[in-house]
Each structure stands twice: as structure tokens, then as C-alpha cells.
Amino acid sequence: MLLTITAIVFATFLWWFSTGVIFYLNSRPEHTFRWSMLCGSILALAALLGVWFSAREASAMAAFVAFSCGLVIWGWHAMSYYMGIITGPCRQPCPPGSKGLDRFRHAAATSLHHEFAILATVGLFLGIVWGQPNQFGLWTFLLLWGMHISAKLNVFLGVRNLNVEFLPQRLRYLSSYFRHAPMNLLFPLSVTAGTMLTVFMALEGIRAEPGSAEAIGYTLLATLCALAVIEHWFMVLPIRAEALWQWSLRTTSSKTADADSSHPHRYFSGRSATAVPGKNSPPNGSAEA
């Protein structure tokens, strides 16, 4: 029981802290990105080694290591996206008048290279863990990717809280692809599927032998999935999610406040997010997890 509680607390803290670190680094001046990405890349390479070593061992500690490494590698992709290093061929606001599939095509182009990089990483994961007893590093990465795609689709289709304050200034053009609405038809499916997956993994952890790699690994995944579902609810409930990471958003929030005080309707008009030509474009062609 103590080890299970430890796994829940560990997953929650690692999710919260790593997210805050990424927000903080992405809010720093652009001249710091080179060093941030260098350190992040070294950490991601170390995490890949961690996945390789832990995949060959079926123990509770190996499950902790694999989970942590999967989250670190995901964090590298998120950081490279928000820093505008690996994004997509489109780095401009949504063209005026775009609707339906045309709007979706433009939105997908803003992160196409990012998604290809993730696919390549999944292939690397498969090569590392194929046939090995501990695959929780891969499942952690896939879970984060799946819930991230779900969140992006929901803000594209329309939710109450668009959380633009999480976007660095250079990526504010992405807000032109968001839609403000009480809810969308995908949202109930997203939270239902996420909740069912959480329950499934929690039950798998309960059924496994206490203290085993399966018990700890599934508990870690269930906790992470539950947190992702809670993040989805933040999109539609009258709750400000940024309060969880206020310590890491101070720089971004101050810049956002200055921009919004000068242009109170700069990013949103009516139900659909709109962009001001030129002012939402990324500086020097840089862009955005």
C-alpha cells in the first residue's frame, strides 16, 4: 500500500513539476533557448539510456525509472515545440475565412514536423523495448501523446477556457486556430475514454502482485491518465488552470497582461479566435506542446 501511495504522489509531482519547468524555460528570452535545448537534449539522451536499461528488468524500481524517462523524453518534444524549434511548415495565423477541412489543414500544418518527430521517437521506443518485460516507458510516452492530441483537437473544435496564457508571445498566432465555445461534441468522448482508461489501468494495478513492476507501472499510468482527464475538465469548468503553475508563468503572464491591456480584443472575437495580422506572427520566423 505504501509503495502504491508513493507511486501516486511521485507521478503527480513529476507531472506538475516538469510541466512548470517547461513553462518557465519557454517564457525566458530566446537567447537562452540554445542552452535550454542543449541541457534538455542531454537529459533526453540519458532518459533513452534509462529506458533501455529499465526495459530489461521487471521490478518496481525499473517501473519508476521507465515512467520517469518516458515523461522526460516527452518533455523534450514539448520544449522543442514551444521554443519554435520543431513545429511545422505553417507559422502564421489562420488565413481569414478558412472553415471546415481547410481550417483543419492549416491548423495541422502548424505542428506537422512536431508530430513526425514524435512518430520517429515512438519507432525508437519500439526498437528499444520490443520483447522486453518492462514497456512502461513506451506506454507513458504514448499516453502523453494521445491525451495531448485530444487536448489540441478540443481547443480547435471549441472549449470554454482556451488557456492562451500558456502560449509564449512568439506562438500567439496559434490562438487563431482555437475556438471559444461552452463545449464541443468531442469533449464528452475524450473525458469518457480517458476515464475508462484510467479505471482499466487502476484495476490492472490492483490485480497485480503488490509491489511488483506491473502494480507500480499501472498505478503510475493510471495517475497520469487521471491527471490528463482533470486537465481536460479545466477546459470547460470555471477554473483557472494556470494557478497550478503560477510560479513558472510569472514572466509569460506579465507579458500577456501588457499585450492584452493594449489590445483587449487582440486574440478573440465572438466564438472563434482571431489574430491581428503581423502582431501575432512569430518574431524572426520562430514558432511553438
Side-chain angles (χ1 to χ4, degrees):
M1 178 61 72
L2 180 60
L3 199 55
T4 299
I5 295 174
T6 300
I8 294 172
V9 173
F10 177 80
T12 302
F13 175 78
L14 192 60
W15 164 81
W16 170 79
F17 182 72
S18 61
T19 301
V21 169
I22 291 172
F23 285 153
Y24 176 76
L25 293 176
N26 290 332
S27 69
R28 306 306 299 161
E30 291 193 19
H31 70 265
T32 65
F33 291 176
R34 178 185 303 177
W35 297 108
S36 295
M37 280 304 300
L38 176 61
C39 294
S41 297
I42 293 172
L43 191 59
L45 288 173
L48 280 174
L49 288 175
V51 170
W52 189 86
F53 282 111
S54 64
R56 286 147 179 79
E57 182 180 347
S59 67
M61 181 57 67
F64 275 110
V65 172
F67 174 84
S68 303
C69 291
L71 200 149
V72 166
I73 294 168
W74 173 259
W76 181 90
H77 281 281
M79 190 167 66
S80 68
Y81 182 58
Y82 280 110
M83 288 184 176
I85 297 171
I86 303 176
T87 56
C90 178
R91 302 192 178 196
Q92 298 296 328
C94 185
S98 296
K99 296 180 180 179
L101 289 176
D102 187 49
R103 177 171 169 262
F104 178 80
R105 180 173 59 83
H106 288 295
T110 63
S111 60
L112 197 60
H113 300 157
H114 169 68
E115 301 299 341
F116 283 152
I118 292 174
L119 274 173
T121 303
V122 171
L124 185 59
F125 261 108
L126 287 172
I128 292 174
V129 306
W130 190 268
Q132 301 302 321
N134 180 5
Q135 301 187 358
F136 286 110
L138 171 63
W139 301 133
T140 300
F141 188 85
L142 289 176
L143 176 60
L144 288 164
W145 185 25
M147 297 305 283
H148 180 65
I149 290 176
S150 173
K152 292 204 306 187
L153 287 173
N154 274 283
V155 296
F156 172 80
L157 295 172
V159 290
R160 174 176 179 170
N161 301 318
L162 296 171
N163 295 323
V164 179
E165 60 276 3
F166 290 138
L167 293 175
Q169 282 297 119
R170 63 191 167 276
L171 298 178
R172 289 302 171 92
Y173 67 90
L174 291 173
S175 65
S176 65
Y177 299 93
F178 299 171
R179 188 181 298 279
H180 189 267
M183 193 183 290
N184 64 80
L185 294 177
L186 176 64
F187 182 83
L189 297 177
S190 295
V191 295
T192 300
T195 301
M196 292 176 63
L197 186 58
T198 300
V199 172
F200 168 77
M201 290 187 293
L203 290 176
E204 288 295 308
I206 293 172
R207 293 192 190 103
E209 181 182 350
S212 65
E214 288 76 16
I216 298 306
Y218 280 115
T219 299
L220 291 167
L221 290 178
T223 304
L224 186 62
C225 194
L227 292 168
V229 172
I230 292 172
E231 277 192 294
H232 274 61
W233 279 111
F234 282 158
M235 298 179 187
V236 299
L237 296 177
I239 301 173
R240 305 304 298 173
E242 70 271 17
L244 291 172
W245 296 282
Q246 197 62 47
W247 59 274
S248 66
L249 288 171
R250 290 175 182 173
T251 304
T252 303
S253 297
S254 62
K255 290 179 180 178
T256 302
D258 292 341
D260 290 346
S261 64
S262 301
H263 303 281
H265 303 290
R266 180 175 177 181
Y267 299 114
F268 304 108
S269 176
R271 291 174 60 84
S272 179
T274 58
V276 174
K279 293 185 179 181
N280 280 347
S281 302
N284 300 323
S286 63
E288 189 178 51

Coordinates of all heavy atoms in Angstrom, one line a residue, residues 199-263:
V199 N -9.6 3.9 -15.2 CA -10.1 2.8 -14.4 C -9.5 1.5 -14.8 O -9.1 0.6 -13.9 CB -11.7 2.7 -14.6 CG1 -12.2 1.5 -13.9 CG2 -12.3 4.0 -14.0
F200 N -9.3 1.2 -16.1 CA -8.7 0.0 -16.6 C -7.3 -0.2 -16.0 O -7.0 -1.3 -15.5 CB -8.7 0.0 -18.1 CG -7.8 -1.1 -18.7 CD1 -8.3 -2.4 -18.7 CD2 -6.6 -0.9 -19.1 CE1 -7.5 -3.5 -19.2 CE2 -5.8 -1.9 -19.6 CZ -6.3 -3.2 -19.7
M201 N -6.5 0.8 -16.1 CA -5.1 0.7 -15.6 C -5.1 0.6 -14.1 O -4.2 -0.1 -13.5 CB -4.3 1.9 -16.1 CG -4.1 1.8 -17.6 SD -2.9 3.1 -18.3 CE -3.9 4.6 -18.0
A202 N -6.0 1.3 -13.4 CA -6.0 1.2 -11.9 C -6.4 -0.2 -11.5 O -5.8 -0.8 -10.6 CB -7.0 2.2 -11.4
L203 N -7.4 -0.8 -12.2 CA -7.7 -2.2 -11.9 C -6.6 -3.2 -12.2 O -6.4 -4.1 -11.4 CB -9.0 -2.6 -12.7 CG -10.3 -1.9 -12.3 CD1 -11.4 -2.3 -13.2 CD2 -10.6 -2.2 -10.8
E204 N -5.9 -2.9 -13.3 CA -4.7 -3.8 -13.6 C -3.7 -3.7 -12.5 O -3.1 -4.7 -12.1 CB -4.1 -3.4 -14.9 CG -5.0 -3.7 -16.2 CD -5.1 -5.2 -16.3 OE1 -4.0 -5.9 -16.3 OE2 -6.2 -5.7 -16.4
G205 N -3.5 -2.5 -12.0 CA -2.5 -2.3 -10.9 C -3.0 -3.0 -9.6 O -2.2 -3.6 -8.9
I206 N -4.3 -3.0 -9.4 CA -4.8 -3.6 -8.2 C -4.7 -5.2 -8.3 O -4.4 -5.9 -7.3 CB -6.3 -3.2 -7.9 CG1 -6.4 -1.7 -7.6 CG2 -7.0 -4.1 -6.9 CD1 -7.8 -1.2 -7.5
R207 N -5.0 -5.7 -9.5 CA -4.9 -7.1 -9.7 C -3.5 -7.7 -9.6 O -3.3 -8.9 -9.3 CB -5.5 -7.5 -11.1 CG -7.0 -7.2 -11.2 CD -7.6 -7.8 -12.5 NE -8.9 -7.4 -12.7 CZ -9.3 -6.5 -13.6 NH1 -8.3 -5.9 -14.4 NH2 -10.5 -6.1 -13.8
A208 N -2.5 -6.9 -10.0 CA -1.2 -7.3 -10.0 C -0.7 -7.6 -8.6 O -1.2 -7.1 -7.6 CB -0.3 -6.3 -10.7
E209 N 0.4 -8.3 -8.5 CA 1.0 -8.6 -7.2 C 1.5 -7.4 -6.5 O 2.2 -6.6 -7.2 CB 2.2 -9.6 -7.3 CG 2.8 -10.0 -6.0 CD 4.0 -10.9 -6.2 OE1 4.2 -11.4 -7.4 OE2 4.8 -11.1 -5.3
P210 N 1.1 -7.1 -5.3 CA 1.6 -5.9 -4.6 C 3.1 -5.7 -4.6 O 3.8 -6.6 -4.3 CB 1.0 -6.0 -3.2 CG -0.1 -7.0 -3.3 CD 0.3 -7.9 -4.4
G211 N 3.5 -4.5 -5.0 CA 4.9 -4.2 -5.1 C 5.6 -4.6 -6.3 O 6.8 -4.4 -6.5
S212 N 4.9 -5.3 -7.2 CA 5.5 -5.8 -8.5 C 5.7 -4.6 -9.5 O 5.1 -3.5 -9.3 CB 4.7 -6.9 -9.1 OG 3.4 -6.4 -9.5
A213 N 6.4 -4.9 -10.6 CA 6.6 -3.9 -11.6 C 5.2 -3.6 -12.2 O 4.9 -2.4 -12.5 CB 7.5 -4.4 -12.7
E214 N 4.4 -4.6 -12.4 CA 3.0 -4.3 -13.0 C 2.2 -3.4 -12.1 O 1.5 -2.5 -12.6 CB 2.3 -5.6 -13.3 CG 2.9 -6.5 -14.4 CD 4.2 -7.1 -14.0 OE1 4.5 -7.3 -12.8 OE2 4.9 -7.6 -15.0
A215 N 2.2 -3.7 -10.8 CA 1.4 -3.0 -9.9 C 1.8 -1.5 -9.9 O 1.0 -0.6 -9.9 CB 1.5 -3.6 -8.5
I216 N 3.1 -1.2 -9.8 CA 3.6 0.1 -9.8 C 3.5 0.8 -11.1 O 3.0 2.0 -11.2 CB 5.1 0.1 -9.3 CG1 5.2 -0.4 -7.9 CG2 5.6 1.6 -9.3 CD1 4.3 0.2 -6.9
G217 N 3.8 0.1 -12.2 CA 3.7 0.7 -13.5 C 2.3 1.1 -13.9 O 2.1 2.2 -14.4
Y218 N 1.3 0.2 -13.6 CA -0.1 0.6 -13.9 C -0.6 1.7 -13.0 O -1.4 2.5 -13.4 CB -0.9 -0.6 -13.9 CG -0.9 -1.5 -15.1 CD1 -0.3 -2.8 -15.0 CD2 -1.3 -1.0 -16.3 CE1 -0.3 -3.6 -16.1 CE2 -1.2 -1.8 -17.5 CZ -0.7 -3.1 -17.4 OH -0.6 -3.9 -18.5
T219 N -0.1 1.7 -11.8 CA -0.5 2.8 -10.9 C 0.0 4.1 -11.4 O -0.7 5.2 -11.4 CB 0.0 2.5 -9.4 OG1 -0.6 1.3 -9.0 CG2 -0.4 3.7 -8.5
L220 N 1.2 4.2 -11.8 CA 1.8 5.4 -12.4 C 1.0 5.9 -13.6 O 0.7 7.0 -13.7 CB 3.3 5.2 -12.7 CG 4.2 5.0 -11.6 CD1 5.6 4.4 -12.1 CD2 4.5 6.3 -10.8
L221 N 0.7 4.9 -14.5 CA 0.0 5.3 -15.7 C -1.4 5.7 -15.4 O -1.9 6.7 -16.0 CB -0.1 4.1 -16.7 CG 1.2 3.7 -17.3 CD1 1.0 2.4 -18.2 CD2 1.8 4.8 -18.2
A222 N -2.1 5.1 -14.4 CA -3.5 5.4 -14.1 C -3.5 6.8 -13.5 O -4.4 7.6 -13.8 CB -4.0 4.4 -13.1
T223 N -2.5 7.2 -12.7 CA -2.4 8.5 -12.1 C -2.2 9.6 -13.2 O -2.9 10.6 -13.2 CB -1.2 8.6 -11.1 OG1 -1.4 7.6 -10.1 CG2 -1.2 10.0 -10.4
L224 N -1.3 9.3 -14.1 CA -1.0 10.2 -15.2 C -2.3 10.4 -16.1 O -2.6 11.5 -16.5 CB 0.1 9.7 -16.0 CG 0.6 10.6 -17.1 CD1 1.2 11.9 -16.5 CD2 1.7 9.9 -18.0
C225 N -3.0 9.3 -16.3 CA -4.2 9.4 -17.2 C -5.3 10.2 -16.4 O -6.0 11.0 -17.0 CB -4.7 8.0 -17.5 SG -5.9 8.0 -18.8
A226 N -5.4 10.0 -15.1 CA -6.4 10.8 -14.3 C -6.1 12.2 -14.4 O -7.0 13.1 -14.5 CB -6.4 10.2 -12.9
L227 N -4.8 12.6 -14.3 CA -4.4 14.0 -14.3 C -4.7 14.6 -15.7 O -5.1 15.8 -15.8 CB -2.9 14.1 -14.0 CG -2.5 13.8 -12.6 CD1 -0.9 13.6 -12.5 CD2 -3.0 14.8 -11.6
A228 N -4.5 13.8 -16.7 CA -4.8 14.3 -18.1 C -6.3 14.5 -18.2 O -6.8 15.5 -18.9 CB -4.4 13.3 -19.1
V229 N -7.1 13.7 -17.6 CA -8.6 13.9 -17.7 C -9.0 15.2 -16.9 O -9.8 15.9 -17.4 CB -9.3 12.7 -17.1 CG1 -10.8 12.9 -16.9 CG2 -9.1 11.4 -18.0
I230 N -8.3 15.4 -15.8 CA -8.6 16.6 -15.0 C -8.2 17.8 -15.8 O -8.9 18.8 -15.8 CB -7.8 16.6 -13.7 CG1 -8.4 15.5 -12.7 CG2 -7.9 17.9 -13.0 CD1 -7.6 15.2 -11.5
E231 N -7.1 17.7 -16.5 CA -6.7 18.9 -17.4 C -7.7 19.1 -18.5 O -8.0 20.3 -18.8 CB -5.4 18.5 -18.1 CG -4.1 18.8 -17.2 CD -2.9 18.8 -18.1 OE1 -2.5 17.6 -18.5 OE2 -2.2 19.8 -18.2
H232 N -8.4 18.1 -19.0 CA -9.4 18.3 -19.9 C -10.6 19.0 -19.3 O -11.2 19.9 -19.9 CB -9.9 16.9 -20.5 CG -9.1 16.4 -21.7 ND1 -7.7 16.2 -21.6 CD2 -9.4 16.1 -23.0 CE1 -7.3 15.7 -22.8 NE2 -8.3 15.7 -23.6
W233 N -11.0 18.6 -18.1 CA -12.1 19.3 -17.4 C -11.8 20.8 -17.2 O -12.7 21.6 -17.2 CB -12.4 18.6 -16.1 CG -13.3 17.4 -16.3 CD1 -12.9 16.1 -16.1 CD2 -14.6 17.3 -16.7 NE1 -13.9 15.2 -16.4 CE2 -15.0 16.0 -16.8 CE3 -15.6 18.3 -17.1 CZ2 -16.3 15.6 -17.2 CZ3 -16.8 17.9 -17.5 CH2 -17.2 16.6 -17.5
F234 N -10.5 21.1 -17.0 CA -10.1 22.5 -16.8 C -10.5 23.3 -18.1 O -10.7 24.6 -18.0 CB -8.6 22.7 -16.6 CG -8.2 22.3 -15.2 CD1 -6.9 22.0 -15.0 CD2 -9.0 22.4 -14.2 CE1 -6.4 21.7 -13.7 CE2 -8.6 22.1 -12.9 CZ -7.3 21.7 -12.6
M235 N -10.7 22.7 -19.2 CA -11.0 23.4 -20.4 C -12.5 23.9 -20.4 O -12.8 24.9 -21.1 CB -10.9 22.5 -21.6 CG -9.5 22.0 -21.9 SD -9.5 20.9 -23.4 CE -7.8 20.3 -23.3
V236 N -13.4 23.3 -19.7 CA -14.8 23.6 -19.7 C -15.3 24.1 -18.4 O -16.4 24.7 -18.4 CB -15.6 22.5 -20.2 CG1 -15.2 22.1 -21.6 CG2 -15.5 21.3 -19.3
L237 N -14.7 23.9 -17.3 CA -15.1 24.3 -16.0 C -14.6 25.7 -15.7 O -13.6 26.1 -16.2 CB -14.7 23.3 -14.9 CG -15.3 21.9 -15.0 CD1 -14.7 21.1 -13.9 CD2 -16.8 21.9 -14.9
P238 N -15.3 26.5 -14.8 CA -14.9 27.8 -14.4 C -13.7 27.8 -13.5 O -13.8 28.3 -12.3 CB -16.2 28.4 -13.8 CG -16.9 27.3 -13.3 CD -16.7 26.1 -14.2
I239 N -12.7 27.2 -13.9 CA -11.4 27.0 -13.1 C -10.3 27.5 -13.9 O -10.1 27.1 -15.1 CB -11.2 25.5 -12.6 CG1 -12.4 25.0 -11.8 CG2 -10.0 25.4 -11.8 CD1 -12.4 23.6 -11.5
R240 N -9.4 28.3 -13.3 CA -8.2 28.8 -14.0 C -7.0 27.8 -13.7 O -6.5 27.8 -12.6 CB -7.9 30.2 -13.5 CG -9.0 31.2 -13.6 CD -9.5 31.3 -15.0 NE -8.5 31.7 -16.0 CZ -8.7 31.8 -17.3 NH1 -9.8 31.3 -17.8 NH2 -7.7 32.2 -18.0
A241 N -6.7 27.1 -14.7 CA -5.6 26.0 -14.6 C -4.3 26.6 -14.3 O -3.4 26.0 -13.7 CB -5.6 25.2 -15.9
E242 N -4.0 27.9 -14.8 CA -2.7 28.5 -14.6 C -2.3 28.6 -13.1 O -1.1 28.8 -12.8 CB -2.6 29.8 -15.3 CG -3.4 31.0 -14.7 CD -4.8 31.0 -15.3 OE1 -5.2 30.1 -15.9 OE2 -5.4 32.1 -15.1
A243 N -3.3 28.6 -12.2 CA -3.0 28.7 -10.8 C -2.0 27.6 -10.3 O -1.3 27.8 -9.4 CB -4.3 28.7 -10.0
L244 N -2.1 26.4 -11.0 CA -1.2 25.3 -10.6 C 0.2 25.6 -10.9 O 1.1 25.0 -10.3 CB -1.7 24.1 -11.4 CG -3.0 23.5 -11.0 CD1 -3.4 22.3 -12.0 CD2 -3.0 22.9 -9.6
W245 N 0.5 26.5 -11.9 CA 1.9 26.7 -12.3 C 2.2 28.2 -12.2 O 3.0 28.7 -13.0 CB 2.1 26.2 -13.7 CG 2.0 24.7 -13.8 CD1 2.9 23.8 -13.4 CD2 0.9 24.0 -14.3 NE1 2.4 22.5 -13.6 CE2 1.2 22.6 -14.2 CE3 -0.4 24.3 -14.8 CZ2 0.3 21.6 -14.5 CZ3 -1.2 23.3 -15.2 CH2 -0.9 22.0 -15.1
Q246 N 1.6 28.9 -11.3 CA 1.8 30.4 -11.2 C 3.3 30.7 -11.0 O 3.7 31.7 -11.6 CB 1.0 30.9 -10.0 CG 0.8 32.5 -10.1 CD 0.0 32.9 -11.3 OE1 -1.0 32.3 -11.6 NE2 0.5 33.9 -12.0
W247 N 4.0 29.9 -10.3 CA 5.4 30.1 -10.1 C 6.2 30.1 -11.4 O 7.3 30.7 -11.5 CB 6.0 29.1 -9.1 CG 5.8 27.7 -9.6 CD1 4.8 26.9 -9.4 CD2 6.8 26.9 -10.3 NE1 5.0 25.6 -10.0 CE2 6.2 25.6 -10.5 CE3 8.1 27.2 -10.8 CZ2 6.9 24.6 -11.2 CZ3 8.8 26.2 -11.5 CH2 8.2 24.9 -11.7
S248 N 5.8 29.4 -12.4 CA 6.5 29.3 -13.6 C 6.0 30.2 -14.7 O 6.6 30.3 -15.8 CB 6.5 27.8 -14.1 OG 5.2 27.4 -14.5
L249 N 4.8 30.8 -14.5 CA 4.2 31.6 -15.5 C 4.3 33.1 -15.3 O 3.7 33.9 -16.0 CB 2.7 31.3 -15.6 CG 2.3 29.9 -16.2 CD1 0.9 29.6 -16.0 CD2 2.7 29.9 -17.7
R250 N 5.1 33.5 -14.3 CA 5.1 35.0 -14.0 C 5.6 35.8 -15.2 O 5.0 36.8 -15.5 CB 6.1 35.2 -12.8 CG 5.5 34.7 -11.5 CD 6.5 34.8 -10.4 NE 5.9 34.2 -9.1 CZ 6.6 34.1 -8.0 NH1 7.9 34.4 -8.0 NH2 6.0 33.5 -6.9
T251 N 6.7 35.3 -15.8 CA 7.2 36.1 -17.0 C 6.2 36.2 -18.1 O 5.9 37.2 -18.7 CB 8.5 35.5 -17.5 OG1 9.4 35.4 -16.4 CG2 9.1 36.3 -18.6
T252 N 5.6 35.0 -18.4 CA 4.6 34.9 -19.5 C 3.4 35.7 -19.2 O 2.8 36.4 -20.0 CB 4.2 33.5 -19.8 OG1 5.4 32.7 -20.1 CG2 3.3 33.4 -21.0
S253 N 2.9 35.6 -17.9 CA 1.7 36.3 -17.5 C 1.8 37.8 -17.6 O 0.9 38.5 -18.0 CB 1.3 35.9 -16.1 OG 1.0 34.5 -16.1
S254 N 3.0 38.4 -17.2 CA 3.2 39.8 -17.3 C 3.2 40.3 -18.7 O 2.7 41.4 -19.0 CB 4.5 40.2 -16.6 OG 5.6 39.6 -17.2
K255 N 3.8 39.5 -19.6 CA 3.9 39.9 -21.0 C 2.5 39.9 -21.6 O 2.1 40.7 -22.4 CB 4.8 39.0 -21.8 CG 6.3 39.2 -21.5 CD 7.1 38.2 -22.3 CE 8.6 38.4 -22.0 NZ 9.4 37.5 -22.8
T256 N 1.7 38.8 -21.2 CA 0.3 38.7 -21.7 C -0.5 39.9 -21.2 O -1.3 40.4 -22.0 CB -0.3 37.4 -21.2 OG1 0.5 36.3 -21.6 CG2 -1.7 37.2 -21.7
A257 N -0.3 40.2 -19.9 CA -1.1 41.3 -19.4 C -0.8 42.6 -20.1 O -1.7 43.4 -20.4 CB -0.8 41.5 -17.9
D258 N 0.5 42.9 -20.4 CA 0.8 44.1 -21.2 C 0.2 44.1 -22.6 O -0.3 45.1 -23.0 CB 2.3 44.2 -21.3 CG 3.0 44.4 -19.9 OD1 2.3 44.9 -19.0 OD2 4.2 44.2 -19.8
A259 N 0.3 42.9 -23.2 CA -0.3 42.8 -24.6 C -1.8 43.0 -24.6 O -2.4 43.7 -25.4 CB 0.1 41.5 -25.2
D260 N -2.5 42.4 -23.6 CA -3.9 42.4 -23.6 C -4.4 43.8 -23.1 O -5.5 44.2 -23.5 CB -4.5 41.4 -22.6 CG -4.3 40.0 -23.1 OD1 -4.0 39.9 -24.3 OD2 -4.4 39.0 -22.3
S261 N -3.6 44.5 -22.3 CA -4.1 45.9 -21.9 C -4.0 46.8 -23.1 O -4.8 47.8 -23.2 CB -3.2 46.4 -20.8 OG -1.8 46.5 -21.3
S262 N -3.1 46.6 -24.0 CA -3.0 47.4 -25.2 C -4.0 47.0 -26.3 O -4.5 47.9 -27.0 CB -1.6 47.3 -25.8 OG -0.6 47.7 -24.9
H263 N -4.3 45.7 -26.4 CA -5.3 45.2 -27.4 C -6.2 44.3 -26.7 O -6.1 43.0 -26.7 CB -4.5 44.5 -28.5 CG -3.5 45.3 -29.1 ND1 -3.8 46.3 -30.1 CD2 -2.1 45.4 -29.0 CE1 -2.7 46.9 -30.5 NE2 -1.7 46.4 -29.8

